[in-house]
Amino acid sequence: MDLIQLYTDKCSMCGLCIDVCPSYDTVDMIPSLCDYIQSGGKEEEGRPLEFDIRLCYTCNVCTVACPEDLGIRKLISASREKKTKIRGASEEQGLVDPFSNNNIYKKIGEWENPVEFKNEGRKSDVVYFPGCAASCMNKVVGKSTVRALNAAGVDYSVMSGVDYCCGSVSAGAGNTVPLEKLGQRNIDEINARGSKILITTCPGCYRAFKLLYPQKFENLNFEVLQTSEYFARLLNEGKLNFKRDMDEYFKSSAGDDGSTVGSSTVGSGNSVGSDKNDNPDGKLRIFYQDPCHLTRALGIYEDPRRVLSAVPGAELVNPTPDGSICCGFGGGVRTSFPKKSVDQAADVHEYAKSLDSDIIITNCGGCMKNIIEGGYMSGKENGPENAGLPVYDLAEFISIACGNEPTERDDLKLIYLSNKSLKECLTHYDYEPFEELAADYDPDLK
Ligand code: SF4
Ligand code: SF4
């Protein structure tokens, strides 16, 4: 059914979607967006946009709350696509466009080489697709995933970097050109390797292969799994063998790997092991951050919990996604409204702390980066006692639990370079709260 007809027929204007939305506060935007979408094709002929559609995190909280499975996001996405068709791609959209010179991953690549994966370009049963983010920015995610695969004895190859962008994040921002151009080529490459399983880390890549590509392209002769789904399968098959009690591990080595640097730098002292004695059952209390684009959009929340629950010495404080909140990264909000986005990420720490968590585990490179930044900024602005909890990637945690050494990472460098890349790629980006890190991390000062 036509989108506008769907809302005309089914939306009762009950406002349940607005009640839960972190960005908007009036249900009047529903008829307004419908009018915008169906009005004339050119801006001067059509109805002007009355609401700032850049404020949407694309978190899908509104869709889940809607009794008719509608919400506001569907209208936002259609409005963004229409706006792009009228005005062309915006500077922000160029940030994740692999054909743009303003691509932030290419920009970071000018300062630091992307991860050099060993298994590129070979035939294999399994292909790992880390995506631009885990290849170029939040590299700990890509490195840790292959370490976990190695520990499980998986035969895999890798398709990494901006060259193999999936196009999904760009499409989510309203620019579908990269997805249209690259989708079939990505599929053909996987088929050429004779692979039967594709695993992705990034929820955007997963959405591309799982949902968007089958609607547009042909010959997806392979199964598509998110990392957590594949880990759950390896666990069922007895191939994911945990060798560490993670409560003992964190008690004895918290902070040694630098993973708590974001919080310890601001003097919080809230390293993972610091409050372990308060846990009567002697288990590491994990808050699993549900990525919006995996949990609400694609229904993946049981497998990551199943895997984490199987780790010796660990327990989940949130066994279901009920009450989960957006990290603030998605939908382009991080680039257009950085302060709002980082404040939202700080709220994740507060929520996790309210559940008496020891650490936060993420399952998305964007969530991880934003939540690290939110915890750091909270400590800087509000005092060390308000700094965030340590943040780990799911694959990173699993890799360590399998007996690997911790994956090297530098959270402050990640924060600094990601902000510097945005500053250099966006003319209006004036968010500069990290001057104190420049002496250590600015490549132009070295
Ligand atoms: S919750 Fe659904 S039915 Fe209610 S106003 Fe929002 S979109 Fe319409
Ligand atoms: S997707 Fe999230 S931010 Fe966007 S309209 Fe829905 S609830 Fe609000």
Side-chain angles (χ1 to χ4, degrees), residues 230-398:
Y230 192 59
F231 286 160
R233 182 174 296 183
L234 292 172
L235 189 68
N236 286 346
E237 293 171 351
K239 293 176 183 167
L240 204 57
N241 297 310
F242 298 121
K243 296 187 174 143
R244 281 197 172 106
D245 179 306
M246 292 303 274
D247 186 58
E248 293 297 326
Y249 171 79
F250 278 109
K251 274 179 181 165
S252 63
S253 62
D256 289 354
D257 57 2
S259 56
T260 59
V261 69
S263 29
S264 60
T265 298
V266 288
S268 71
N270 64 346
S271 64
V272 182
S274 61
D275 58 357
K276 303 303 318 122
N277 293 337
D278 294 342
N279 293 339
D281 57 358
K283 291 205 168 176
L284 185 73
R285 291 174 59 79
I286 293 171
F287 175 83
Y288 174 71
Q289 167 66 15
D290 284 282
C292 298
H293 294 173
L294 273 187
T295 299
R296 279 177 283 277
L298 295 158
I300 294 183
Y301 54 90
E302 289 179 342
D303 279 344
R305 287 179 164 84
R306 191 174 300 139
V307 172
L308 288 170
S309 298
V311 173
E315 67 181 4
L316 280 167
V317 302
N318 55 339
T320 73
D322 292 350
S324 62
I325 59 174
C326 172
C327 77
F329 184 76
V333 177
R334 177 62 185 82
T335 53
S336 296
F337 306 96
K339 179 76 170 74
K340 170 182 164 72
S341 169
V342 173
D343 285 349
Q344 174 78 19
D347 288 349
V348 174
H349 288 274
E350 292 311 305
Y351 183 43
K353 285 179 184 176
S354 75
L355 298 176
D356 202 18
S357 312
D358 295 317
I359 65 171
I360 296 170
I361 292 192
T362 62
N363 193 11
C364 162
C367 295
M368 183 184 190
K369 192 199 78 62
N370 225 39
I371 294 171
I372 289 171
E373 194 166 341
Y376 176 75
M377 285 307 296
S378 180
K380 184 177 164 183
E381 291 175 351
N382 307 315
E385 68 280 7
N386 293 301
L389 294 168
V391 182
Y392 280 74
D393 170 60
L394 174 77
E396 178 187 22
F397 188 80
I398 294 303

Side-chain angles (χ1 to χ4, degrees), residues 120-131:
E120 298 271 2
R122 60 186 284 272
K123 289 194 179 291
S124 59
D125 294 340
V126 175
V127 174
Y128 172 47
F129 193 97

Side-chain angles (χ1 to χ4, degrees), residues 7 10-17 27 30 65-68 70-71:
Y7 278 78
K10 297 196 166 178
C11 175
S12 62
M13 295 287 283
C14 66
L16 291 173
C17 50
V27 77
I30 291 177
C66 174
E68 300 291 345
L70 296 173

Side-chain angles (χ1 to χ4, degrees), residues 60-353:
N60 269 326
V61 169
C62 54
T63 310
V64 171
C66 174
E68 300 291 345
D69 194 35
L70 296 173
I72 312 155
R73 188 230 163 130
K74 291 182 173 80
L75 296 173
I76 298 266
S77 297
S79 300
R80 285 179 172 181
E81 282 191 27
K82 174 166 182 175
K83 188 175 168 193
T84 303
K85 281 190 181 124
I86 293 171
R87 295 193 188 178
S90 66
E91 202 178 40
E92 284 85 353
Q93 286 168 322
L95 298 173
V96 287
D97 180 344
F99 303 112
S100 165
N101 292 331
N102 268 3
N103 181 288
I104 47 173
Y105 304 113
K106 288 186 192 170
K107 179 58 70 180
I108 289 181
E110 292 174 14
W111 305 319
E112 278 204 334
N113 289 331
V115 179
E116 290 186 20
F117 293 98
K118 284 186 181 154
N119 293 1
E120 298 271 2
R122 60 186 284 272
K123 289 194 179 291
S124 59
D125 294 340
V126 175
V127 174
Y128 172 47
F129 193 97
C132 306
S135 302
C136 305
M137 187 182 279
N138 203 347
K139 299 175 187 173
V140 67
V141 176
K143 291 177 184 173
S144 300
T145 301
V146 296
R147 287 186 184 199
L149 295 177
N150 288 336
V154 176
D155 170 43
Y156 67 93
S157 65
V158 181
M159 287 169 63
S160 75
V162 180
D163 286 348
Y164 285 117
C165 176
C166 70
S168 162
V169 180
S170 188
N175 176 17
T176 56
V177 173
L179 185 126
E180 302 282 356
K181 281 189 177 174
L182 298 174
Q184 191 64 58
R185 189 219 48 183
N186 288 338
I187 293 165
D188 292 344
E189 172 64 25
I190 296 162
N191 288 333
R193 297 185 187 195
S195 304
K196 296 293 169 229
I197 296 175
L198 173 82
I199 51 175
T200 75
T201 299
C202 172
C205 302
Y206 181 79
R207 180 165 178 268
F209 281 97
K210 192 82 176 181
L211 282 187
L212 305 180
Y213 285 9
Q215 293 168 11
K216 294 173 179 284
F217 308 115
E218 296 178 338
N219 301 323
L220 275 92
N221 302 324
F222 46 85
E223 191 178 11
V224 179
L225 298 173
Q226 204 270 337
T227 311
S228 58
E229 292 179 294
Y230 192 59
F231 286 160
R233 182 174 296 183
L234 292 172
L235 189 68
N236 286 346
E237 293 171 351
K239 293 176 183 167
L240 204 57
N241 297 310
F242 298 121
K243 296 187 174 143
R244 281 197 172 106
D245 179 306
M246 292 303 274
D247 186 58
E248 293 297 326
Y249 171 79
F250 278 109
K251 274 179 181 165
S252 63
S253 62
D256 289 354
D257 57 2
S259 56
T260 59
V261 69
S263 29
S264 60
T265 298
V266 288
S268 71
N270 64 346
S271 64
V272 182
S274 61
D275 58 357
K276 303 303 318 122
N277 293 337
D278 294 342
N279 293 339
D281 57 358
K283 291 205 168 176
L284 185 73
R285 291 174 59 79
I286 293 171
F287 175 83
Y288 174 71
Q289 167 66 15
D290 284 282
C292 298
H293 294 173
L294 273 187
T295 299
R296 279 177 283 277
L298 295 158
I300 294 183
Y301 54 90
E302 289 179 342
D303 279 344
R305 287 179 164 84
R306 191 174 300 139
V307 172
L308 288 170
S309 298
V311 173
E315 67 181 4
L316 280 167
V317 302
N318 55 339
T320 73
D322 292 350
S324 62
I325 59 174
C326 172
C327 77
F329 184 76
V333 177
R334 177 62 185 82
T335 53
S336 296
F337 306 96
K339 179 76 170 74
K340 170 182 164 72
S341 169
V342 173
D343 285 349
Q344 174 78 19
D347 288 349
V348 174
H349 288 274
E350 292 311 305
Y351 183 43
K353 285 179 184 176

